[in-house]
Amino acid sequence: QVQVVQSGGGSVQAGGSLRLSCVPSGYVPRGYCMGWFRQAPGNEREGVAGIDFDGGTRYADSVKGRFTVSKVNNKDLVYLEMNSLKPQDTAMYYCAFRWDDTRCGSLWASPDVYNYWGQGTQVTVSS
């Protein structure tokens, strides 16, 4: 059984930084891609950043230059480093994995393509 565990998040003032982490447990294939999503109350879940198995990354325009996604291959550990945070970044953040596909490609921001999801972690940015 696969579980995806998230950690990090919390509350910070505008301009501050936070780091989220995400790691799957149980069966983990030797190829996957993953994405970070967020959802604010009343809004749809939106893709924030994605990373392919080879380390290729993609970002939503709203976070480019401020967020960085990275992974530690031998530990299947994925990070989302968030800098210069803004109040509009406030949301519940989720990580998700797509098994047996080394590239999420142009579908990286579509929640439907992912198989396994983390439990979510709240990020709150105050002005």
Side-chain angles (χ1 to χ4, degrees), residues 38-99:
R38 66 186 180 188
Q39 188 168 19
N43 291 354
E44 292 187 353
R45 192 167 295 191
E46 63 169 340
V48 174
I51 187 165
D52 294 331
F53 194 72
D54 64 358
T57 57
R58 298 170 182 85
Y59 297 94
D61 288 343
S62 58
V63 306
K64 278 181 182 176
R66 300 189 297 121
F67 290 13
T68 303
V69 58
S70 61
K71 68 188 187 80
V72 181
N73 283 334
N74 62 349
K75 295 184 178 181
D76 296 316
L77 179 61
V78 184
Y79 294 109
L80 182 68
E81 189 79 34
M82 303 182 293
N83 297 314
S84 301
L85 282 161
K86 304 175 181 180
Q88 52 264 47
D89 294 319
T90 295
M92 185 73 78
Y93 282 70
Y94 300 89
C95 63
F97 286 83
R98 177 175 172 82
W99 264 194

Side-chain angles (χ1 to χ4, degrees), residues 1-5 23-28 99:
Q1 186 173 355
V2 176
Q3 284 188 318
V4 179
V5 179
V23 61
S25 64
Y27 169 70
V28 180
W99 264 194

